[in-house]
Amino acid sequence: MTENEQPLVKEQKEETIRKESTIDKSAIEESAKKGSKKIGVYLCRCGGNIADAVDLQAVADNLKEDKNVIVNIQDYLCSSVGQDKIKNDIEKGKVDRVVIGSCSPKLHLETFRGMAKNAGLNPRLLEITNIREQASWVHDKEDKTGVTSKVLGLIKGAAARMGSIEPLSPLAKTLVDRTLVIGGGIAGITTALELSDSHDVILIEKKPYLGGHMIGLSKTFPTLDCSQCILTPRMVAVHNNPRISMLTQTQVADVQGSPGDYSITLKHSPRYVDIGKCINCGACARKCPTGAIFLPFAQAVPQAYMIDMSKCSNCGACVKICPRDAINLEEKEETSAIAVGAVAIATGFEPIDPTFIEEYNYPSPNILTAIEFEEMLSAKSKTGMRLQKADGTFPNRVAFVLCAGSRDFTGKGRKHCSKVCCIYSQKQAQLVKKMKEDSQAWIFYIDMRSGGRRFEEFYHHTQEKGVNYVRGKVAEILPKSDGTLMVQYEDTNLGRKGREIFDMVILCPALIPSTGTKEIADKLGVSIGDDGFIEEKHVKLDPVNTLNQSVFAAGCVLGPKDIHDSVTEGISAAHKVSQFLGKGMILIPPEKPVILECNGCGDCVKACPYNALALEGGKALLSPLACTGCGICVPACPIKGIEIRNFTRDQVKAQLQGILSEAPGVIVFIDPYAYAAADIAGVNRKQYSSLVRLVSIPSVHILDADVVNAAFEYGATGVMLIEGITDEKLTSRSDDLYKKLKKDTRKHKKPIRYSHIETAQYEKLTDLLNVFASQAGAKAQKMSRKEEISDKEDPVS
Amino acid sequence: MKKEPIIPESRDPAFIEQVIKTPVGEKIPTCMQCGICAGSCPVSQEMDYSPRELVRMVQLGLKKEVLSSSTIWICTTCFSCSVRCPRGIHPTELMETLKPIAIAEGIKNRNVKFDNVFSDVIKTNGRASEFLLISKYSLTEPGMIKQLPFGLSMMVKGKLPLSIQRMENTRELEAIFNLGEKSREKK
Ligand SMILES: Cc1cc2nc3c(=O)[nH]c(=O)nc-3n(C[C@H](O)[C@H](O)[C@H](O)COP(=O)(O)OP(=O)(O)OC[C@H]3O[C@@H](n4cnc5c(N)ncnc54)[C@H](O)[C@@H]3O)c2cc1C
Ligand code: SF4
Ligand code: SF4
Ligand code: SF4
Ligand code: SF4
């Protein structure tokens, strides 16, 4: 939904929308016929990005044969020159509907629709056909004629559907002015605090205390100030803030509702001690015979004891001694429901488990991860902030092994660089040298990455402190019987193998998204990348937004980074949330079902997964604000009385006819989530056959045999449905949909497939497309041969 | 070892192309010179270039050095490097790929000679014989005469048996060798 499309009335009443969505068929036809329908087709060369693979002039010449169509080609349509051309044509009345052939609508649809609106055209009367990510970039190894014919078909299809597009306006829904921040690390803390100036916040944390990894750090690079000293004031501020409800040991269990208006179920695991009542006197811990009741660590926020039930003998000594009556041994896991308008995900990272790197022999005494090293010297220390080996003595020779599981393209580790290890290992090496001047600290690195302000200076300073640097990825760490560790490596600067004995080896593990990030992303309908981190709306330009307009992200859940950057993103996310909530309204796409005929059977009411339909006075009635536009009701209606506006059967069929008018091809219906995967495939130039024609639809569930049969009749050699949405309410029905379509289109004897593709699986997508295109092609050939041999027999029967 | 500067003439783009086109070649350009291969290699200290350096030289197209290096012959095919390489490069297989290229290019150093003698012995007898191997190799490599006392002392201790074992039917083996020969020619 674009920000340009303000609803016509600010306070749209549910009633009026309801009425609008039950108009009768003639009204739609009327509105479709209105006007002279001068369709302007604008094709973009995109420098050579499109024009090098497609003969745009040939496309234009062919299109011009239609008297209702005018065609124009520009070098860069998104430039002001390009946009002005379209704007002028609209303003002068030369065109009243626009089809653009350019890059993905995910990039510039909002820009173009904004321009259309300024020119006085309803934004919905402008659409983009993707001829770059889904044509020129993915067939650039093919012959130009095939790609040109595909593009011509796509544009013809788009123009055919555009002819009957309704000038709809988005619907408006009131936002709930409350935000859920998930994760109480520095990123979540910052987001919550920044927001609390003007909005209510619920901050949840799955651990029993706030602070995330930062509370387990010693000193912080590049300035070496104490982590706890700079973090504690922020945590206390969260705790004391009347607009922030802080809930520890809490996770998201379920998400219902829609953007701007979520109803979320939270799950709280029991602490057995009431945080509100506990005054931290410690009387309970002194009485407990098994040491089951404890304070996580001295500076933990919230300041309250908790019980480890695996140790508790249920003697009740603590309950009796507690002066505040704060302890309840019977506490159970509980759930609660909250209503929020926006969500900020700040679930951070965790280290990869280095056990899989066999040659490093982790875990072994004195082989630690960098996080274990930090914790020994932090607020969470169990050694009284002393660095010590398994035998309690100080390690005089310490090695740091970088990239343990990072920068690995074999599938065993992770591809990405974990970004902070180069710098924190130098910090840790400095700390070792500081604790004992004649100790040795060696850093084994592949590339010392210290870009950015103050970091190269930090590197230089660490060198001055006498830390030893070796360029080479450690080959082996062998524990010796005397407790020391032998490290084998190649000094790549000299090209010589080396062996060295250490007392302690620190592995710097790849930093990966926290467990559960994918589940949260799925529940909120946002995508994750193939590295598992949350996908930004735009890598560079919208770094803390997601593809869900009411969900934001900050900190390491967007990729490894340091505290400075996590805080920056926390502030940015808070600003973006505030901007979003500040509108008070959320616009929802008007492409909803319209009930044209109804015999009151109630099948659609039963089918709707979101309770958006009800029978009133013997007729089905829609609540547009509850409706997600999933389209399940469309094929559910036995008398074909329901259509999705602007994706009606007739409109989609007209588009298919146009697409297949030039040459037969494979029709691939694709939903917006999987569409994003196809775009990424394009950006990565993953090639697939130009026979493949993607048809963007709001959901695969709007399809029925009527449409698919039409595709076959117009010449499709195969039909594929690609779904990317992860909402189980829909995906649980996809198999049935596929089976039904297969059965009801059997007479064509042409292949039909269904596949679920998430945004990150773009490689799987292109593989599928290629395999299917060649299967469909082979089948079509076989069929036509059969027809030739026995041309009297009806091959269909 | 004298180190020649690398100048445009030392690089051979056709050689890069040739290696990259082989099944193991595709990933060669992604080597990041981390050195875990060389650090893991049990015999890299015996090589004139470590596996890491060899990959680097292939990236640069230093054909002459690569093909005449001792590295590709000294490799024991233990696979340590291939198992650990974070970029999925298979230095072991790279060595195996480079050997026939070196032979085809007529590179003749003692490693190539030894390899030839070794396969000859196998081809005619079907079994390895230390005695045959050493004596035949000594004929092609005069420097081996210096090893004579060592060989004699081994013989005295029974570590260098003079008996030559033969396989019953070496014709099948020959056929295998010929097939291998043919497939190499095809490439
Ligand atoms: C060894 C090491 C040393 C470092 N040293 C420095 C340094 O010196 N200087 C520096 O600037 N940076 C340093 N960093 C980086 C720094 O730790 C991170 O930048 C910072 O912790 C990121 O904060 P975050 O809030 O994004 O994530 P996190 O700190 O990981 O916080 C995420 C929080 O979310 C919670 N959570 C996760 N999943 C859920 C869920 N499903 N529901 C509810 N809550 C959830 C977690 O329990 C956690 O509390 C270091 C990192 C490492 C690994
Ligand atoms: S930051 Fe340094 S140590 Fe960490 S993965 Fe990147 S290069 Fe390796
Ligand atoms: S089935 Fe889907 S499209 Fe139909 S009313 Fe329900 S939510 Fe809306
Ligand atoms: S291990 Fe792989 S990436 Fe590292 S230097 Fe060797 S070949 Fe290159
Ligand atoms: S396979 Fe060859 S190069 Fe690789 S580690 Fe073993 S001996 Fe060294």
Side-chain angles (χ1 to χ4, degrees):
Chain A
M1 175 80 30
T2 90
E3 284 164 21
N4 307 302
E5 292 178 87
Q6 286 307 316
L8 299 177
V9 266
K10 210 160 173 60
E11 283 290 336
Q12 224 165 348
K13 289 258 154 43
E14 176 107 18
E15 305 302 303
T16 52
I17 308 174
R18 275 185 173 217
K19 246 186 260 145
E20 262 181 34
S21 62
T22 42
I23 52 171
D24 68 318
K25 204 167 194 160
S26 57
I28 285 201
E29 279 163 7
E30 199 53 37
S31 102
K33 267 190 221 127
K34 235 185 274 161
S36 56
K37 301 281 177 44
K38 284 165 293 182
I39 299 179
V41 173
Y42 298 88
L43 302 172
C44 184
R45 285 194 194 94
C46 192
N49 278 300
I50 294 173
D52 286 351
V54 186
D55 185 348
L56 288 179
Q57 195 53 51
V59 174
D61 291 344
N62 191 307
L63 289 169
K64 275 183 202 148
E65 287 167 18
D66 184 340
K67 289 282 158 308
N68 289 329
V69 172
I70 68 161
V71 192
N72 182 270
I73 305 177
Q74 295 278 327
D75 274 333
Y76 293 100
L77 268 179
C78 57
S79 69
S80 53
V81 183
Q83 294 202 49
D84 284 349
K85 167 72 185 143
I86 309 180
K87 193 161 175 239
N88 269 329
D89 287 355
I90 298 173
E91 280 169 351
K92 292 216 183 87
K94 279 211 222 156
V95 302
D96 54 17
R97 272 151 205 266
V98 177
V99 169
I100 288 172
S102 65
C103 56
S104 172
K106 301 241 181 230
L107 293 173
H108 288 314
L109 185 63
E110 291 190 16
T111 325
F112 285 125
R113 285 195 166 167
M115 172 277 295
K117 186 172 180 246
N118 289 339
L121 186 71
N122 177 295
R124 288 236 150 12
L125 297 180
L126 179 147
E127 287 202 344
I128 291 184
T129 301
N130 187 343
I131 58 169
R132 191 178 75 174
E133 284 82 349
Q134 297 176 9
S136 66
W137 275 357
V138 285
H139 317 308
D140 58 3
K141 303 221 161 47
E142 271 184 49
D143 178 40
K144 221 171 169 175
T145 25
V147 195
T148 304
S149 146
K150 162 171 171 166
V151 167
L152 176 59
L154 288 180
I155 303 277
K156 278 194 168 170
R161 182 168 148 265
M162 181 47 83
S164 62
I165 289 287
E166 293 180 84
L168 303 174
S169 297
L171 314 173
K173 178 159 83 173
T174 313
L175 290 172
V176 179
D177 188 0
R178 190 179 301 112
T179 306
L180 172 66
V181 178
I182 309 174
I186 186 61
I189 289 175
T190 308
T191 312
L193 282 175
E194 294 287 325
L195 268 175
S196 66
D197 264 357
S198 43
H199 301 278
D200 289 340
V201 180
I202 298 172
L203 173 65
I204 65 167
E205 165 57 52
K206 74 173 169 196
K207 293 236 174 84
Y209 46 84
L210 282 189
H213 283 95
M214 192 177 162
I215 195 61
L217 298 184
S218 52
K219 304 275 190 283
T220 51
F221 67 70
T223 45
L224 293 191
D225 30 8
C226 146
S227 188
Q228 179 213 328
C229 313
I230 56 177
L231 180 59
T232 307
R234 301 275 164 118
M235 298 198 294
V236 173
V238 167
H239 191 55
N240 295 338
N241 192 309
R243 293 197 80 165
I244 303 178
S245 319
M246 177 187 91
L247 303 167
T248 47
Q249 291 175 278
T250 300
Q251 295 189 56
V252 171
D254 185 41
V255 178
Q256 295 287 334
S258 54
D261 180 15
Y262 283 117
S263 148
I264 294 181
T265 311
L266 301 177
K267 188 173 71 191
H268 317 276
S269 53
R271 186 178 186 117
Y272 310 101
V273 178
D274 186 332
I275 293 172
K277 288 185 186 160
C278 176
I279 50 165
N280 237 358
C281 66
C284 50
R286 286 190 290 275
K287 271 275 179 261
C288 177
T290 64
I293 190 159
F294 63 102
L295 190 63
F297 50 91
Q299 294 81 5
V301 174
Q303 283 275 301
Y305 278 70
M306 62 181 291
I307 297 180
D308 175 354
M309 262 304 149
S310 65
K311 286 191 188 156
C312 172
S313 63
N314 226 348
C315 68
C318 54
V319 180
K320 272 184 229 125
I321 194 84
C322 176
R324 300 273 296 152
D325 208 8
I327 305 171
N328 173 9
L329 296 176
E330 302 303 309
E331 210 177 293
K332 295 264 149 3
E333 182 179 288
E334 280 172 19
T335 57
S336 64
I338 55 168
V340 295
V343 180
I345 308 176
T347 49
F349 68 94
E350 62 187 39
I352 200 168
D353 177 358
T355 317
F356 78 96
I357 316 171
E358 284 168 23
E359 57 270 26
Y360 288 176
N361 285 302
Y362 177 90
S364 296
N366 304 327
I367 304 183
L368 275 61
T369 67
I371 293 181
E372 291 163 339
F373 177 101
E374 291 281 346
E375 287 188 353
M376 226 185 247
L377 303 175
S378 77
K380 285 164 83 177
S381 177
K382 294 196 172 79
T383 58
M385 295 227 190
R386 272 169 38 88
L387 179 66
Q388 59 184 43
K389 297 188 294 179
D391 64 6
T393 60
F394 185 84
N396 286 315
R397 291 159 300 181
V398 183
F400 296 89
V401 175
L402 270 54
C403 304
S406 300
R407 307 181 67 188
D408 180 324
F409 284 68
T410 64
K412 286 180 275 182
R414 299 302 172 109
K415 291 182 192 161
H416 64 263
C417 162
S418 298
K419 195 167 180 189
V420 286
C421 358
C422 278
I423 309 295
Y424 76 59
S425 62
Q426 301 187 77
K427 166 190 76 178
Q428 295 179 343
Q430 278 195 35
L431 292 179
V432 171
K433 294 290 283 182
K434 203 169 165 189
M435 284 181 275
K436 197 159 176 223
E437 214 176 318
D438 63 354
S439 62
Q440 285 188 41
W442 291 52
I443 297 180
F444 293 90
Y445 67 98
I446 306 176
D447 296 296
M448 189 46 72
R449 297 184 163 169
S450 50
R453 193 169 179 203
R454 302 191 182 94
F455 289 148
E456 191 64 25
E457 295 87 326
F458 192 76
Y459 179 8
H460 183 247
H461 186 64
T462 315
Q463 288 179 303
E464 284 177 333
K465 291 280 168 197
V467 171
N468 206 342
Y469 290 75
V470 180
R471 193 195 174 284
K473 185 169 164 72
V474 165
E476 255 165 53
I477 306 168
L478 285 180
K480 314 276 269 187
S481 51
D482 64 354
T484 59
L485 301 154
M486 196 274 286
V487 168
Q488 184 173 312
Y489 61 93
E490 185 202 23
D491 183 323
T492 60
N493 287 331
L494 293 175
R496 282 167 71 172
K497 218 157 55 171
R499 264 180 237 115
E500 210 67 43
I501 300 290
F502 292 98
D503 299 321
M504 184 181 267
V505 174
I506 311 298
L507 303 182
C508 301
L511 304 184
I512 59 176
S514 298
T515 322
T517 300
K518 182 174 186 319
E519 285 71 25
I520 291 180
D522 283 352
K523 286 188 179 112
L524 290 165
V526 307
S527 351
I528 55 172
D530 59 1
D531 51 12
F533 295 103
I534 298 278
E535 205 84 315
E536 315 87 337
K537 183 174 177 200
H538 189 285
V539 210
K540 296 155 211 159
L541 303 177
D542 284 307
V544 297
N545 291 68
T546 68
L547 283 175
N548 178 335
Q549 56 177 328
S550 64
V551 178
F552 306 81
C556 291
V557 75
L558 288 167
K561 52 179 64 70
D562 63 5
I563 297 167
H564 171 280
D565 290 359
S566 301
V567 168
T568 308
E569 288 182 355
I571 297 171
S572 310
H575 166 69
K576 282 289 167 189
V577 171
S578 180
Q579 202 180 43
F580 171 72
L581 292 178
K583 290 197 191 104
M585 283 291 170
I586 185 168
L587 299 180
I588 38 184
E591 284 81 12
K592 303 269 148 148
V594 49
I595 298 154
L596 300 166
E597 270 175 71
C598 180
N599 62 13
C601 72
D603 284 0
C604 59
V605 179
K606 272 181 249 138
C608 175
Y610 305 99
N611 297 325
L613 287 162
L615 278 182
E616 265 176 46
K619 292 249 181 286
L621 202 63
L622 177 81
S623 311
L625 297 185
C627 168
T628 64
C630 74
I632 286 224
C633 50
V634 174
C637 176
I639 56 167
K640 296 192 182 156
I642 306 182
E643 296 278 10
I644 298 283
R645 298 177 90 168
N646 284 348
F647 288 92
T648 66
R649 290 177 176 85
D650 286 347
Q651 286 170 328
V652 176
K653 282 194 235 167
Q655 184 178 0
L656 292 173
Q657 191 172 21
I659 291 177
L660 294 163
S661 62
E662 294 311 305
V666 175
I667 292 292
V668 179
F669 292 106
I670 189 161
D671 80 357
Y673 297 84
Y675 192 98
D679 275 359
I680 300 176
V683 172
N684 288 299
R685 308 294 199 282
K686 292 273 166 213
Q687 302 287 307
Y688 52 87
S689 159
S690 70
L691 292 175
V692 170
R693 279 101 218 258
L694 300 182
V695 181
S696 168
I697 49 173
S699 146
V700 296
H701 297 274
I702 70 168
L703 296 171
D704 67 1
D706 202 8
V707 174
V708 177
N709 277 326
F712 287 140
E713 272 144 33
Y714 297 140
T717 52
V719 167
M720 218 172 167
L721 319 184
I722 309 255
E723 183 169 35
I725 196 166
T726 46
D727 186 345
E728 249 193 34
K729 291 199 185 83
L730 294 178
T731 53
S732 61
R733 305 186 192 206
S734 307
D735 199 39
D736 287 344
L737 167 77
Y738 166 62
K739 285 193 185 127
K740 187 156 182 351
L741 285 177
K742 195 169 171 173
K743 189 167 135 257
D744 295 348
T745 60
R746 213 170 26 190
K747 62 175 183 204
H748 289 286
K749 292 194 175 149
K750 288 186 185 169
I752 168 162
R753 291 265 184 297
Y754 164 88
S755 193
H756 194 270
I757 293 283
E758 291 180 26
T759 312
Q761 298 173 304
Y762 63 93
E763 281 175 323
K764 181 176 165 200
L765 173 68
T766 49
D767 289 348
L768 274 174
L769 292 176
N770 275 325
V771 170
F772 187 66
S774 63
Q775 280 173 355
K779 183 131 190 201
Q781 261 186 2
K782 214 166 113 195
M783 297 248 308
S784 71
R785 249 182 280 134
K786 246 198 213 159
E787 265 171 72
E788 272 168 35
I789 296 165
S790 56
D791 52 3
K792 277 204 187 99
E793 266 173 55
D794 181 359
V796 171
S797 62
Chain B
M1 199 187 341
K2 200 170 142 237
K3 288 183 184 166
E4 298 287 342
I6 302 167
I7 52 171
E9 288 72 41
S10 22
R11 291 186 274 110
D12 182 345
F15 177 62
I16 306 179
E17 182 91 339
Q18 182 186 8
V19 180
I20 289 192
K21 266 207 251 131
T22 64
V24 292
E26 192 195 9
K27 291 184 178 153
I28 300 278
T30 67
C31 168
M32 58 172 163
Q33 292 290 298
C34 71
I36 197 170
C37 50
S40 308
C41 179
V43 289
S44 64
Q45 64 275 19
E46 307 297 334
M47 299 167 165
D48 45 9
Y49 301 104
S50 80
R52 173 186 58 82
E53 289 169 318
L54 191 81
V55 174
R56 178 69 191 130
M57 295 192 312
V58 171
Q59 282 181 337
L60 282 173
L62 306 184
K63 180 172 178 178
K64 218 177 79 214
E65 278 104 318
V66 168
L67 294 181
S68 48
S69 74
S70 70
T71 307
I72 53 181
W73 304 100
I74 287 181
C75 165
T76 64
T77 61
C78 74
F79 279 93
S80 304
C81 52
S82 300
V83 169
R84 292 178 183 171
C85 171
R87 298 298 212 209
I89 293 163
H90 283 273
T92 325
E93 313 241 333
L94 175 64
M95 315 277 176
E96 293 306 303
T97 307
L98 291 171
K99 282 183 199 171
I101 302 181
I103 294 172
E105 292 284 329
I107 304 263
K108 284 209 174 62
N109 54 28
R110 55 197 182 111
N111 297 301
V112 182
K113 285 181 204 157
F114 184 81
D115 209 62
N116 279 334
V117 171
F118 185 83
S119 45
D120 268 352
V121 169
I122 297 285
K123 199 157 131 188
T124 46
N125 299 305
R127 300 250 198 283
S129 149
E130 265 104 10
F131 180 69
L132 269 187
L133 205 59
I134 306 252
S135 39
K136 285 196 170 182
Y137 180 58
S138 304
L139 291 180
T140 65
E141 191 63 34
M144 279 296 282
I145 196 82
K146 277 189 236 147
Q147 303 275 350
L148 194 65
F150 180 59
L152 285 175
S153 71
M154 277 180 76
M155 237 186 269
V156 171
K157 288 199 172 133
K159 299 282 178 199
L160 202 62
L162 295 175
S163 65
I164 299 164
Q165 292 189 352
R166 278 189 67 131
M167 220 171 101
E168 271 171 25
N169 181 358
T170 48
R171 248 181 310 170
E172 286 176 8
L173 194 68
E174 235 166 279
I176 295 179
F177 268 90
N178 289 341
L179 270 179
E181 214 51 58
K182 243 191 237 159
S183 77
R184 182 183 300 165
E185 273 158 27
K186 250 188 241 158
K187 274 178 206 159

